[in-house]
């Protein structure tokens, strides 16, 4: 493919993405296909001769689109948001176009330096104490990782390194292997699966402690667990506090947990993967009070902050422990700039690095701080509106409401809500998933897409309302919200779903 | 930014990349700036109000380009290639445009299914035994990871899981922590830094065993190390064999190491990060003989196979051990398709996954098998040509020649070659790095860019020849190769470097 063809192909791809966003609201959010659907659509072996880019691009509609769950659809309310913005997409494209590998400063100085500076921007933006920033005089700093899973694991390794170093300095009689065999970590039973996984990966048992009825890990629970484990001869090492849990977006209190970690000499890691973006708005920053106790902090601009995946922001108070856990030097990595700029390969799992800072820079500049604040406040307001709608129907109850996430259920037995979610799922018009609140089944409604508007919230609510009507076999007295736009949309979508299904049946 | 603006912005970015490739040959491959250069070029805080995309795009030339090391330049001969092709770039862009997160099958079935199918294509293409493929009946399969570093670490964790399971099944009296504390891994002293790092990350000491004078790990050396460690009470667990080492592209023999691993019940992982791409050509496939002994195999299409970073292909004979090492279930991850398609999140470190299979699919289809074979053979031929040029000058000696990598030095003391590399580096016209061959310093010349042609090889050789002339203060008798194109290019580049330096000085 020559440069001229690339210009055509690239621009056709830009139009494909633009067309996709223009039509996304009218696509059923969940695909209709069954596992293995693609096997019949593409050959079993790679083609011997090259094909034209036009053929390949045309196959997106035939092969890929039928199997896409539309995360950017305004009707996607599952999990948490995965960011996708136009500045983010273009940043990703240019990064691919430069095709460099940031494995050291000299391997492309701009890669390291833009990351250093944008991580300062970002840290200031969410009000992190200066000691976490690259621009501070101390050993702290920020780095972009691929995911919160990676970060939780990396922080665990740093915690392990620190504990071994500290105990050795205190003249322990234990060998390094003995120390490592006794280490133990803590988080709450509300933490993301990746927290437990970090324990598995790092060979450090992760105790998932029970939370209170709001999903919060209380100080006494942590303190008791530590005491218990010390009595068993174990060595408490690492705590992961959640600011915005996955099930209900609950917030642990760093002011409560921090002093215990300090006293007991435990590494405190803060996982604010989703909710950390809210700290861009001063009115939510109080939820981060006590962050000065943390050793490491993480949030994902690739969730709520409009930067395309992957962009997971991590800060540490002392990068020494990362570097010591990871540093393996080789002659082919040497350069004369050592020590003058961070060598981020020692802060992460892989040797190679993509130019992730570019998309972060694009998003921060093109949206501006005000643009991001507006986005956060808008999505929280939409969630509140959904909460109002649920509260207005006396068959339902709201279990929790925090940031852009509402958890709710039908009053009565869990099976009713399970049935409700199942029925809504079958219609494939909106996508919500299950959660737990206070040991009870609930439905999570998260405002995810940056395209979601008030009419989409009404649309989603009507889906639940109608499914509830079917379950109870009587219509609720609450009048259905009449919204012309949303009614029209619903009708259009039903027509389009029907005709797509017909098409698929025809082509079989 | 609305959709119309995105169309403009996206297309301007496509043109930016196209223009970059049109001018890349005439840019000095290494940047002129010093650490910290960017601090003066951008503000210390993110802008309050959003800026226009045009301003941001214009800043690429002002802020980013001066700090780019041009990995795609035909004069880049450092490390190994990092792939960047037009189909790869567009695949990356579309993946960003869809903005999905492949954390489970239902989270976007096309993500999982295209990965399953393209990993079959790829496995067949390099002649892997069927038991490694997703399309086999057994428990084997392929998955795309982010980097060889990740893969080596993941395979180590699987090896650990298997060893613990096996020993427990054999009725060991050791506890799990005791077993883990005694495990030990092996590779050669020629292995990539990421292999040692995998040992650090996974808390399993990695013994880097000495190689023969060709950089190959011999069977007796491995067998003796295992014996030694068993006598010490350690538990040998994991071996990383190299097919194409980083320093000199040396190949361990799987037919030699495999039977030992089988007999001693060690997990054999094959790291063919760079050279694995060569197995696309049948004439190089003999170097992979014995792969049937391997438990896991890895090569990086993002190195030599034209798929943009990141795309690291991993196959395992039995995925059970990965899944068991990584599996953490949560209610929000449940779906009714469990077991019918691989849930790749259990095969990797992170929960989230990008749509990496898309760019792999694009590259395989648009180049075709023949296109990739042609690329590999062309680059090897260019390396051979460079070898000829070096051999023709009796002040030089070739240390090793394998695939697209030539290692060479000046005859005599190491300091001469160090000086040579330093002088060539100062001129910034080409980029080569140091290596070791048989405990001696050497210079690595790798054919990296897909744009490199015969004239660029001549250009590079002339750089070394002239630098040698300076060192010896006498011209070598070998006549300089007269190549009009390359002479013209060299002159142009010198002029452009001078004028850029002048510009930079002016703007200060």
């Amino acid at each position: 493919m020559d440069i001229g063809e690339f210009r055509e192909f690239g621009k056709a791809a830009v139009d494909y993405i633009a067309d996709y966003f223009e039509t996304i609201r009218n696509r059923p959010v969940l695909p209709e296909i069954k596992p293995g659907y693609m096997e019949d659509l593409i050959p079993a072996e790679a083609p011997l001769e090259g094909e034209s880019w036009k053929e390949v691009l045309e196959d997106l509609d035939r092969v890929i689109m039928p199997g896409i769950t539309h995360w950017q659809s305004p009707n996607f309310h599952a999990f948490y948001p995965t960011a996708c913005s136009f500045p983010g997409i273009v940043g990703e494209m240019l990064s691919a176009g430069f095709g460099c590998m940031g494995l050291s400063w000299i391997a492309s100085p701009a890669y390291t330096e833009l990351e250093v500076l944008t991580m300062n921007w970002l840290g200031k933006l969410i009000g992190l104490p200066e000691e976490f920033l690259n621009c501070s005089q101390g050993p702290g700093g920020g780095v972009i990782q691929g995911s919160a899973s990676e970060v939780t694991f990396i922080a665990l390794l740093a915690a392990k390194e620190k504990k071994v170093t500290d105990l050795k300095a205190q003249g322990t009689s234990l060998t390094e292997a003995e120390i490592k065999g006794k280490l133990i970590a803590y988080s709450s039973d509300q933490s993301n699966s990746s927290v437990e996984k970090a324990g598995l990966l790092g060979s450090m048992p992760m105790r998932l402690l029970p939370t209170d009825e709001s999903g919060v890990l209380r100080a006494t629970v942590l303190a008791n667990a530590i005491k218990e484990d010390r009595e068993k001869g174990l060595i408490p090492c690492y705590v992961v506090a959640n600011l915005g849990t996955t099930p209900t977006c609950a917030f642990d209190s760093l002011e409560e947990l921090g002093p215990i970690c300090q006293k007991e000499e435990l590494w405190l890691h803060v996982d604010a993967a989703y909710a950390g973006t809210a700290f861009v708005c001063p009115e939510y920053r109080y939820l981060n009070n006590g962050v000065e106790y943390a050793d490491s902090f993480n949030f994902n601009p690739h969730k709520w902050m409009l930067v395309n995946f992957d962009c997971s922001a991590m800060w540490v108070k002392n990068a020494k422990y990362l570097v010591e856990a990871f540093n393996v030097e080789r002659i082919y990595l040497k350069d004369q700039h050592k020590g003058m700029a961070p060598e981020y390969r020692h802060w992460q799992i892989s040797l190679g690095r993509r130019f992730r800072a570019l998309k972060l820079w694009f998003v921060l500049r093109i949206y501006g701080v005000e643009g991001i604040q507006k986005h956060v406040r808008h999505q929280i307001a939409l969630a509140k509106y959904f909460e109002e709608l649920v509260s207005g129907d006396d068959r339902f109850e709201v279990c929790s409401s925090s940031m852009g996430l509402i958890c709710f259920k039908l009053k009565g037995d869990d099976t009713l809500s399970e049935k409700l979610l199942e029925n809504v799922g079958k219609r494939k018009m909106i996508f919500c998933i299950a959660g737990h609140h206070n040991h009870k089944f609930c439905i999570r409604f998260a405002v995810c897409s940056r395209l979601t508007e008030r009419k989409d919230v009404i649309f989603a609510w009507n889906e639940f309302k109608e499914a509830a009507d079917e379950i109870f076999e009587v219509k609720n007295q609450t009048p259905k919200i009449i919204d012309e736009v949303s009614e029209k949309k619903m009708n259009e979508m039903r027509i389009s779903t029907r005709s797509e299904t017909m098409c698929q049946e025809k082509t079989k």
Side-chain angles (χ1 to χ4, degrees), chain A residues 88-262:
Chain A
I89 296 169
V90 178
E92 195 67 274
M93 172 171 51
L94 284 162
S95 162
F98 299 156
C100 304
M101 178 74 92
L103 51 77
S104 62
W105 181 85
I106 191 60
S108 257
Y111 279 41
T112 301
E113 303 219 354
L114 192 66
E115 189 159 328
V116 164
L117 295 171
T118 51
M119 285 300 290
N120 286 339
W121 283 16
L122 201 57
K124 290 177 188 176
L125 205 54
I126 60 166
L128 279 190
E130 203 189 321
E131 54 188 331
F132 285 100
L133 306 185
N134 298 307
C135 53
S136 70
Q137 289 304 310
V143 61
I144 304 178
Q145 307 278 6
S147 67
S149 310
E150 277 179 32
V151 174
T152 312
F153 170 57
I154 289 168
L156 179 144
L157 292 177
K160 194 192 268 196
E161 181 71 28
K162 183 174 189 304
K163 185 53 79 184
V164 170
T165 310
D166 288 356
L167 290 179
K168 279 185 176 172
Q170 291 161 24
T172 177
S173 61
L174 298 171
T175 66
E176 187 165 330
E178 282 168 344
I179 297 172
K180 285 181 177 171
K182 289 173 190 293
L183 297 177
I184 186 153
Y186 307 90
S187 191
S188 87
D189 58 12
Q190 298 296 297
S191 64
N192 187 271
S193 60
S194 58
V195 174
E196 188 182 345
K197 199 171 183 176
L200 285 179
L201 297 175
S203 290
M204 192 189 297
M206 177 70 67
R207 277 188 70 179
L208 300 178
L209 303 172
T211 48
D212 69 10
E213 68 283 359
S214 313
V216 174
L217 175 61
R218 310 303 333 190
T220 47
V221 177
L222 176 64
N224 288 339
I226 293 172
K227 190 164 168 279
E228 229 173 73
D229 287 332
R230 287 213 196 275
E231 283 166 6
K232 283 186 198 157
L234 298 175
I235 305 173
C237 175
Y238 182 55
V239 172
V240 181
N242 296 294
L243 296 187
T245 59
T246 307
T248 63
C249 199
F251 287 78
D252 292 338
S253 160
L254 302 180
E255 286 177 313
E256 226 184 278
L257 303 180
I260 300 177
C261 295
Q262 193 174 51

Side-chain angles (χ1 to χ4, degrees), chain A residues 67-101:
Chain A
I68 292 289
T69 299
H70 303 288
W71 283 65
Q72 303 309 320
S73 160
N75 303 314
F76 184 98
H77 305 293
F79 310 106
Y80 272 134
T82 281
C84 185
S85 68
F86 295 135
I89 296 169
V90 178
E92 195 67 274
M93 172 171 51
L94 284 162
S95 162
F98 299 156
C100 304
M101 178 74 92

Side-chain angles (χ1 to χ4, degrees), chain A residues 344-467:
Chain A
Y344 278 135
R345 68 175 179 279
H346 300 316
W347 297 46
Q348 65 172 23
I349 296 169
S350 295
L351 174 57
R353 323 188 77 235
R354 295 164 68 237
F355 195 9
R356 294 171 180 138
L358 194 68
K359 58 190 172 186
L360 176 58
W361 193 47
F362 276 28
V363 167
L364 288 174
R365 290 186 64 183
I366 293 174
Y367 278 90
V369 176
E370 289 176 349
I372 292 166
Q373 288 173 335
K374 195 176 149 194
H375 167 69
V376 166
R377 288 171 184 144
H378 176 61
Q379 294 216 317
I380 293 176
L382 290 174
K384 292 281 167 219
Y385 180 53
F386 185 80
E387 185 184 356
E388 270 174 44
L389 297 176
V390 176
S391 308
D393 188 324
D394 57 16
R395 299 172 299 181
F396 287 84
E397 62 181 297
V398 173
C399 309
S400 71
S401 157
S402 173
M403 299 293 167
L405 177 68
I406 308 297
C407 294
F408 67 104
K409 63 190 298 285
L410 282 171
K411 287 175 186 166
D413 196 75
D414 276 3
T415 52
L416 282 175
S417 297
E418 286 172 18
K419 180 81 187 149
L420 183 76
L421 183 60
E422 195 188 319
N423 288 358
V424 166
K426 276 184 195 154
R427 294 157 67 115
K428 296 179 192 291
M429 294 295 168
I430 61 168
F431 187 21
C432 284
I433 56 167
H436 273 143
H437 177 264
N438 210 6
H439 310 293
K440 293 217 160 177
F441 181 93
C442 67
I443 300 168
R444 291 171 82 266
F445 176 87
V447 178
C448 289
S449 165
R450 66 179 171 78
L451 306 175
T452 303
E453 295 171 22
R454 203 173 159 95
K455 66 182 176 195
D456 304 300
V457 173
I458 294 173
F459 179 77
W461 167 243
N462 284 339
E463 282 288 295
F464 282 109
K465 196 188 164 303
E466 284 187 26

